[in-house]
DNA sequence: CGGCTTGTTGATCCCCGTCAATGCCGGTGG
DNA sequence: CCACCGGCATTGACGGGGATCAACAAGCCG
């Protein structure tokens, strides 16, 4: 039932990579693979959090549905990334809604299974904590970016993180469609289009999901540049 | 050295309230109280994370210093709240800079002390995880608010969370000065002023840190109202 | 080919940041 | 007791970034 490559993705995932071998075997047996098609919903915010997931193939979107009915993208995860750890272990409810952005395969394991092992294996608790910390860190950066940067700058940062090279020219393809990228960057598709148009003047060209950057250093500089003007957000000396 | 009330604050803190009594005694002995004056910096982002903190008295500001030198407020914590759990236990670096927004008293305990006990007491790991999850949840909401609401709406939500009553008229005082509130809500003091001015038309009056709301229901409705127009942020069916 | 989805572009509006002026308060020193 | 001052809050004028709405081009597929 488990394909060798798929097992390998779970084993090397950020969540499990530091878990010792014998324990990971147990966990692999305790969980199961679950297929989910593009557009399908895995769970919605407020659902009782029972399972922890690792993306094996495909792409999922974590979002919040606001009281007004909007759909705000909080994160997008690809193979090797995990979600639900903290909510499920704490025994709370999921704070976000998760939906497949592509046909995907997820490794699913109940929090009960995990916590059963935590007593004997504190390093498992550490793995969960480390993974949660990573999500926390991502969100902190997200908040920083949203509060402090323009759309074009956020796009530049996004491309910088994506590109295989750090300096000089470089070209690669976008990991998912522009509508979703727009959501992830906190803007509308139209604004993303305009942001790409802005970057064109900075040596970034795009044609059908393929991005070419003339100079990565320049792109990175852009994402770190000061917004027109700005000094202190808070008054504390 | 420990004042009874101060011990009580730590004991009842969100981080430790579910830790069994004998263990908490140990932890209280392992940590120490640390005084920090308004404007002083506790640590800066990138510092090796060694300690976990609980606010006993006062107020601290967690912020990010951007490459451009801005100071972006990520969270503000008062008595009973904690920070640094995940970073310190994971053995990483602090992702934010922490500064006292008032003269404050913090309970400080090294992550080493905590992890020494985790092997024997898995519930301690759970407490850390639960607390980290809470921070995660806060940030998710923060991202949602930033992406989806106007300044006046965020202020309305902030006041709603603060108010002692859920319905009808209500009056209370602001927990800290407006400059810091502005930062927390992701705007400039001037914009906060204008947001308050907007809310005045909705039955909210303010004079010198004292807020009076004519109708809490109306305020809450405002914070949940749809932004002029908005449908789907992402394209996933 | 015609419908459908996805991406681009233009016009317009509104929120918020910036800069500058003014008012309010608490403290200090005459 | 009051004049003066520095910090904080408010208000006005202005500009820019992004959302909205609408039109249109480009693929994709039945």
């Amino acid at each position: 039932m488990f394909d060798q490559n798929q097992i390998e993705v779970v084993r090397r995932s950020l969540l499990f990579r530091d878990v010792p071998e014998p324990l990971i075997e147990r966990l692999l047996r305790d969980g199961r693979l679950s297929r989910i098609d593009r557009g399908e919903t895995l769970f919605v915010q407020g659902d009782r959090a029972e399972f922890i997931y690792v993306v094996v193939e495909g792409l999922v979107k974590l979002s919040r549905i606001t009281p007004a009915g909007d759909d705000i993208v909080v994160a997008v995860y690809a193979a090797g990334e995990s979600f639900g750890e903290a909510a499920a272990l704490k025994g709370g409810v999921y704070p976000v809604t998760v939906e497949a952005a592509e046909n995907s395969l997820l490794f699913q394991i109940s929090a009960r299974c995990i916590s059963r092992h935590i007593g004997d294996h504190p390093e498992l608790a550490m793995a969960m904590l480390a993974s949660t910390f990573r999500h926390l860190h991502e969100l902190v950066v997200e908040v920083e970016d949203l509060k402090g940067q323009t759309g074009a700058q956020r796009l530049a940062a996004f491309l910088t993180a994506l590109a295989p090279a750090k300096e000089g020219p470089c070209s690669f393809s976008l990991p998912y469609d522009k509508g979703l990228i727009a959501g992830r960057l906190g803007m509308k598709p139209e604004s993303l289009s305009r942001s790409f148009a802005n970057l064109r003047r900075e040596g970034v060209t795009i044609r059908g999901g393929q991005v070419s950057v003339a100079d990565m250093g320049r792109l990175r500089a852009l994402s770190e540049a000061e917004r027109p003007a700005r000094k202190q957000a808070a008054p504390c000396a």
Side-chain angles (χ1 to χ4, degrees), chain A:
Chain A
M1 143 164 202
F2 286 73
D3 168 314
Q4 233 8 272
N5 286 336
Q6 293 167 354
I7 294 185
E8 206 48 25
V9 172
V10 178
R11 205 191 289 279
R12 308 251 280 261
S13 67
L14 293 161
L15 183 61
F16 289 131
R17 60 167 45 151
D18 292 328
V19 174
E21 189 50 35
L23 182 51
I24 230 177
E25 294 293 345
R26 291 285 304 269
L27 296 175
L28 282 169
R29 282 200 304 277
D30 285 343
R32 66 184 205 80
L33 288 180
S34 142
R35 189 157 280 293
I36 175 173
D37 286 335
R38 176 189 161 110
E40 276 188 274
T41 299
L42 184 61
F43 55 74
V44 300
Q45 71 197 70
D47 278 2
R48 178 124 230 99
E50 196 179 339
F51 297 105
I52 294 168
Y53 295 90
V54 179
V55 181
V56 178
E57 290 170 9
L59 204 65
V60 298
K61 177 186 79 167
L62 282 61
S63 65
R64 291 273 295 182
I65 312 295
T66 70
D70 306 337
D71 181 25
I72 307 281
V73 178
V74 173
V76 175
Y77 289 135
E81 302 188 287
S82 53
F83 54 92
E85 307 92 337
L89 279 172
K90 189 207 155 192
V93 300
Y94 293 114
V96 295
T97 295
V98 173
E99 175 186 315
E102 290 176 1
N103 294 339
S104 305
L105 194 63
L106 306 176
F107 175 75
Q108 175 188 63
I109 183 169
S110 97
R112 305 260 310 281
C113 292
I114 301 273
S115 52
R116 202 168 33 231
H117 294 295
I118 280 187
D120 310 331
H121 301 274
E123 64 272 33
L124 191 53
M126 288 306 180
M128 298 293 138
L129 210 53
S131 192
T132 302
F133 176 57
R134 190 167 166 274
H135 294 155
L136 196 64
H137 197 342
E138 281 170 11
L139 283 177
V140 166
V141 171
E142 179 92 6
V143 168
E144 170 183 343
D145 288 351
L146 284 173
K147 283 188 179 174
Q149 299 193 239
T150 72
Q153 284 180 306
R154 288 201 298 277
L155 176 56
F158 178 76
L159 294 178
T160 303
L162 218 60
K166 294 277 150 269
E167 296 295 336
C170 173
S171 102
F172 53 95
S173 62
L174 295 174
Y176 34 90
D177 54 68
K178 302 201 178 168
L180 186 51
I181 295 176
R184 248 240 39 197
L185 299 178
M187 50 187 163
K188 299 279 147 186
E190 297 96 313
S191 295
L192 180 65
S193 241
R194 289 181 227 278
S195 294
F196 267 119
N198 289 337
L199 291 188
R200 213 164 294 148
R201 280 185 279 102
E202 305 290 338
V204 178
T205 61
I206 175 171
R207 215 176 51 246
Q210 275 296 317
V211 182
S212 301
V213 181
D215 178 1
M216 287 303 302
R218 192 157 149 215
L219 191 63
R220 187 160 28 79
L222 222 165
S223 73
E224 292 173 2
E226 189 150 355
R227 205 199 249 245
R230 213 123 203 281
K231 281 288 106 73
Q232 291 281 39
C236 309

